[in-house]
Amino acid sequence: MINRTQIQLELDKLYRSDSRKIFATLVRLLGDFDLAEEALHDAFLAASKTWLTEGIPSQPVNWLISAGRFKSIDRIRKDKTAQRLLRQDPSKTESEEFNEDQYDEYLDDDVLKLIFTCCHPAVNPEIQIALTLREVCGLKTENIAQAFLVSTTTMAQRIVRGKGKIRHSAIPFELPAKNELNQRLDAVLLVIYLIYNEGYLATSGTSLLRIDLSNEAIRLATLLSELIDDSEVNGLLALLLFQDARKAARVDSAGNSILLENQDRSLWNAKQVQTGVHYLNRAFEGSYGVYTLQAAIAHEHVRAKEYTSTNWAAIEAFYRNIISIEPTAIFRLNHAVALSMVDGPESGLQQINALLLSNELKDYTFLYCAQGEMLYRQKRYTDALNAFSYAHSLTNQAAALQSIKCRMDEIKQHIR
Amino acid sequence: MKYAALVYYSEHTMSQLTQAEWDALNQECMACGEDLQQRGYMLGGQALQPVQNATTLRVRDKQLQLSDGPFAETKEQLAGFYLLEANDLNEAINLASKIPPARYGSIEIRPVRELSTQDNEHYQQSLRSVI
């Protein structure tokens, strides 16, 4: 005879490992986030009672899905609000023959559909991020709000707006058509990249309460690479793994950030780098793009035994390749930095000046940091100081302010 | 689902087209409408005359107020509308992307709101479900 504690342990385990899959399938079956969420909770509640007398079923995930679905149909019969949320005719859902095996093969596809729905380009990008974290990763609204340094109400408004948009404009829960897949995948990759970036910047922040968004992003990218065979998915995953491998070395014991050149490379996570290399190699087997190339650059950084042995020529070549695909100002800036490391600060400054003339990054702190760095290398100390001082005035990000200040103090010593 | 596809473009930009180009675009629009109608996706729609022929009215304190011109001065002006029948937003996007002026201006897709005597979906949305 099974007891209550054993069932609770099993249900906790199932919740952690499979609740998002079950949720995704319920979203497909019921056509609505809110109905699916209620059904998910009803299903786990029902399991905690029924399994006590009937034992744990052989296919608990499928059991939970069908329990959730039936509970929801019950609710829809009684509740007007629920009726309005339901997209398809409830009688149609009901008449489908129940077969516990039927869900298995769809589980993964349903998660993928959920990702594409949350990242639909008709949804505001900020809301795409919030929805993905809540619906796909299962994070609480409160935690997402903390991670993005906004109030819970603000974050709740974003999520409600997103769910309302999906419901009212009838964004379907489906995989994009083949001819749209690449474009739609770009939106998904961007969301994951932005989630990672938010987590990356947060590590230098002060709040220990904030959830680790970089881990969530890596989890999402790993999930995506299991579900979809695409070079850029693997490229993005490799990029995140390489960046994240340096995590332990990026911040000192006082919480101040440490520049790449000063980091203790023995603290880098070698195992994670190895995993990254695996995905990078896979990415290069197919038709790769900017994420893969950025991963290749991150790889050059992590493979260098010390900063001075960084292969800048390889990095410069990768950036040239990136610019040929996507000539954005940020990539051109990065290319300028790499070029200055290969051909000297003069050629880097030429590119920086071209960027300054185009006005595209005129409020971008790191443009002036890069300029200051090159001027410093040319021993033009006053000009360098001016550049850094302007960079300082453009940001309020703690880590950036601190590293700029550090550089300025260093330069001042040359002027005295 | 019913969707309105609202066609916007800059009348100024369109005025730069030659007569032949303008006629060709109009022919394209006619063909597009006929095709959508034949395939059962279009419930109605119309092209509109330029905003200089628009009249805007308001009723305030039971008084009718009239003014010459459109409701709002914008970069792009409402130039026509389609009422589409589609399964979901993706299908509506697919249909609307074939509307010829999409190449010049923008098409705004709006799901139609069905009026009912009570329990109409309100603008205020509850946050309770997500906190």
Side-chain angles (χ1 to χ4, degrees):
Chain A
M1 193 62 193
I2 194 153
N3 68 36
R4 204 174 284 276
T5 323
Q6 281 169 303
I7 287 182
Q8 208 46 57
L9 280 173
E10 181 64 23
L11 282 173
D12 285 347
K13 206 176 87 196
L14 278 166
Y15 194 87
R16 274 196 307 275
S17 59
D18 291 307
S19 64
R20 294 339 280 174
K21 287 186 186 175
I22 298 170
F23 175 73
T25 299
L26 288 168
V27 169
R28 172 172 59 82
L29 292 170
L30 301 166
D32 184 82
F33 282 146
D34 289 343
L35 283 179
E37 195 160 300
E38 280 174 353
L40 178 71
H41 289 127
D42 287 347
F44 275 85
L45 193 66
S48 68
K49 289 173 190 157
T50 313
W51 295 3
L52 207 55
T53 49
E54 293 176 10
I56 295 172
S58 61
Q59 297 191 55
V61 169
N62 288 349
W63 190 98
L64 286 162
I65 292 169
S66 55
R69 181 168 151 234
F70 283 114
K71 290 277 173 195
S72 192
I73 290 166
D74 263 0
R75 193 190 285 271
I76 290 158
R77 276 211 207 95
K78 292 175 204 149
D79 180 359
K80 257 197 183 158
T81 319
Q83 277 166 22
R84 214 170 43 197
L85 297 182
L86 192 75
R87 260 189 224 166
Q88 61 263 56
D89 184 0
S91 60
K92 253 190 241 164
T93 315
E94 208 175 346
S95 66
E96 254 176 61
E97 238 352 86
F98 169 61
N99 171 9
E100 286 215 348
D101 298 324
Q102 71 185 346
Y103 303 120
D104 266 355
E105 52 187 309
Y106 300 117
L107 279 175
D108 286 347
D109 252 15
D110 285 339
V111 173
L112 199 54
K113 281 175 191 162
L114 189 62
I115 295 174
F116 276 109
T117 306
C118 291
C119 300
H120 196 284
V123 176
N124 175 307
E126 224 172 39
I127 296 175
Q128 290 177 22
I129 292 172
L131 277 179
T132 303
L133 287 170
R134 188 161 194 279
E135 312 302 336
V136 183
C137 303
L139 299 183
K140 290 198 178 88
T141 304
E142 187 192 352
N143 293 337
I144 306 170
Q146 277 172 0
F148 285 89
L149 301 174
V150 298
S151 72
T152 305
T153 318
T154 303
M155 191 50 80
Q157 270 160 348
R158 277 183 208 168
I159 289 165
V160 167
R161 258 182 66 194
K163 293 205 281 193
K165 177 77 186 261
I166 289 169
R167 180 185 304 141
H168 296 299
S169 63
I171 292 176
F173 299 99
E174 62 179 25
L175 296 179
K178 265 217 172 89
N179 57 352
E180 292 166 1
L181 188 67
N182 276 337
Q183 205 195 349
R184 292 284 307 277
L185 193 57
D186 282 348
V188 176
L189 296 179
L190 184 63
V191 163
I192 296 175
Y193 184 74
L194 291 174
I195 290 172
Y196 181 83
N197 249 358
E198 192 65 31
Y200 183 92
L201 294 174
T203 48
S204 58
T206 44
S207 172
L208 292 168
L209 290 171
R210 293 173 71 181
I211 46 154
D212 194 340
L213 285 181
S214 26
N215 283 346
E216 290 301 326
I218 290 171
R219 257 188 46 197
L220 274 168
T222 310
L223 176 69
L224 201 58
S225 88
E226 282 163 14
L227 298 178
I228 210 164
D229 185 28
D230 180 274
S231 274
E232 282 291 86
V233 174
N234 291 322
L236 175 64
L237 177 55
L239 172 63
L240 302 188
L241 288 166
F242 291 142
Q243 304 271 42
D244 204 62
R246 305 203 305 253
K247 186 152 66 180
R250 277 209 326 263
V251 187
D252 69 16
S253 52
N256 297 320
S257 70
I258 304 170
L259 291 176
L260 178 64
E261 55 185 281
N262 301 326
Q263 287 174 11
D264 176 357
R265 296 185 176 224
S266 69
L267 294 176
W268 290 356
N269 185 337
K271 209 174 143 218
Q272 206 166 323
V273 171
Q274 221 173 23
T275 316
V277 170
H278 164 76
Y279 287 106
L280 183 62
N281 289 337
R282 270 177 56 184
F284 271 122
E285 282 164 18
S287 67
Y288 57 87
V290 290
Y291 287 113
T292 304
L293 290 165
Q294 287 180 86
I297 291 165
H299 180 229
E300 288 302 331
H301 284 300
V302 290
R303 81 199 290 193
K305 291 267 185 296
E306 57 231 6
Y307 183 72
T308 48
S309 62
T310 308
N311 186 349
W312 287 104
I315 292 174
E316 192 269 334
F318 284 130
Y319 271 123
R320 235 186 303 134
N321 203 340
I322 289 179
I323 292 174
S324 71
I325 304 170
E326 230 180 88
T328 63
I330 297 274
F331 285 140
R332 283 187 285 140
L333 170 60
N334 285 319
H335 177 245
V337 173
L339 192 66
S340 81
M341 300 306 282
V342 180
D343 288 352
E346 185 53 39
S347 17
L349 278 169
Q350 268 175 22
Q351 309 274 329
I352 298 269
N353 288 337
L355 276 166
L356 282 168
L357 280 173
S358 75
N359 248 351
E360 276 173 280
L361 293 175
K362 69 175 169 30
D363 295 325
Y364 189 62
T365 304
F366 296 107
L367 173 66
Y368 302 97
C369 289
Q371 187 190 31
E373 203 61 44
M374 291 173 204
L375 291 166
Y376 182 31
R377 281 171 57 204
Q378 284 189 325
K379 302 194 167 47
R380 291 162 63 183
Y381 300 120
T382 315
D383 292 341
L385 196 61
N386 285 340
F388 275 111
S389 151
Y390 191 60
H392 196 271
S393 73
L394 288 174
T395 182
N396 47 22
Q397 219 258 312
L401 285 171
Q402 182 244 333
S403 64
I404 293 170
K405 176 119 197 331
C406 212
R407 225 12 160 220
M408 285 170 75
D409 290 344
E410 209 179 306
I411 299 170
K412 276 178 194 158
Q413 288 181 351
H414 291 279
I415 296 177
R416 260 172 223 154
Chain B
M1 283 280 293
K2 292 195 190 81
Y3 297 87
L6 309 174
V7 179
Y8 289 86
Y9 53 56
S10 151
E11 291 178 359
H12 175 72
T13 306
M14 303 312 278
S15 71
Q16 312 290 308
L17 298 183
T18 64
Q19 184 67 40
E21 287 168 335
W22 177 237
D23 286 340
L25 182 63
N26 278 276
Q27 285 163 26
E28 262 192 88
C29 289
M30 288 164 73
C32 169
E34 272 162 36
D35 176 60
L36 287 172
Q37 228 145 19
Q38 267 170 17
R39 288 155 62 213
Y41 290 120
M42 187 170 158
L43 305 170
Q46 215 71 66
L48 303 175
Q49 291 200 21
V51 287
Q52 65 181 17
N53 296 337
T55 306
T56 301
L57 80 77
R58 294 176 177 80
V59 177
R60 297 287 183 275
D61 302 322
K62 297 181 188 162
Q63 293 292 309
L64 179 64
Q65 301 169 359
L66 291 177
S67 58
D68 179 23
F71 155 68
E73 296 288 347
T74 46
K75 264 193 225 155
E76 294 186 330
Q77 294 80 32
L78 185 63
F81 62 90
Y82 293 72
L83 186 60
L84 301 174
E85 175 65 49
N87 275 325
D88 52 50
L89 184 65
N90 284 357
E91 192 172 66
I93 291 171
N94 191 16
L95 298 172
S97 66
K98 311 285 191 306
I99 296 174
R103 302 197 305 265
Y104 298 91
S106 337
I107 317 283
E108 179 176 326
I109 301 173
R110 292 276 287 268
V112 160
R113 184 165 70 88
E114 303 288 353
L115 304 178
S116 73
T117 50
Q118 55 184 4
D119 287 336
N120 283 290
E121 191 81 34
H122 201 44
Y123 283 97
Q124 219 169 4
Q125 288 168 320
S126 161
L127 300 184
R128 199 166 36 89
S129 66
V130 293
I131 297 186

